[in-house]
Amino acid sequence: MTAPGAVVRPATPADLKAVAEIFTHYVLHTVATFEETPPTVADWEGRLADLTGRGLPFLVAESEGTVAGFAYTAPWRPKPAYRYTVEDTIYLAPEATGRGLGAALLGALVTESARAGARQMIAVVADTGSDASRALHRRFGFTDVGHLTEVGHKHGRRISTYLLQRSLG
């Protein structure tokens, strides 16, 4: 169930400080992302401009007037034949998990990505020891399509990833 009063909307430049703060937590303290250096607000400004310039969604979940999470889709691969395939990214502020915000973001992301012309969505989920992200994706029609063993190394451990895929139409 979504937190009362939560709103999913397109991200604006004013949201990017909060986006950067949320993501920095995951970069510094988890293996959920393979980034090792947190992107700056300027980096996020460039990402927002690039993705929205391509017509792809970059969304935030706002709860009680605060950005509590974000999600976007980006091109899966740079080669032209992949142009209708996107990869999703979703992160929530640690204190905002378990309130339905991830589901609200993923649902909106699927809808908006299809509207943008994407036909396939890929999720690359790090094997963090929790199945929450994979379970969320499965709830939205994603199926497991692959497991890449020990492809990452962060915080002194080797990390595998799961690949999930969903048709958008």
Side-chain angles (χ1 to χ4, degrees), residues 9-28 33 35 37-49 51 57-62 65-72 89-95 105:
R9 60 172 175 76
T12 68
D15 299 320
L16 298 178
K17 182 176 185 293
V19 166
E21 289 171 358
I22 291 167
F23 193 65
T24 292
H25 165 78
Y26 290 93
V27 172
L28 297 179
T33 174
E35 293 282 354
T37 302
T40 65
V41 172
D43 295 330
W44 285 107
E45 289 168 348
R47 189 168 303 174
L48 176 64
L51 296 176
F58 192 130
L59 308 171
V60 294
E62 188 176 303
T66 302
V67 172
F70 68 94
Y72 61 84
T89 296
I90 303 171
Y91 286 94
L92 299 176
E95 67 277 6
L105 282 164

Side-chain angles (χ1 to χ4, degrees), residues 11 25-26 29 36 45 52 64 68 86 100 104 113 121 129 137:
H25 165 78
Y26 290 93
H29 305 290
E36 293 182 326
E45 289 168 348
T52 57
E64 299 176 7
V86 294
S113 295
M121 186 178 287
H137 281 84

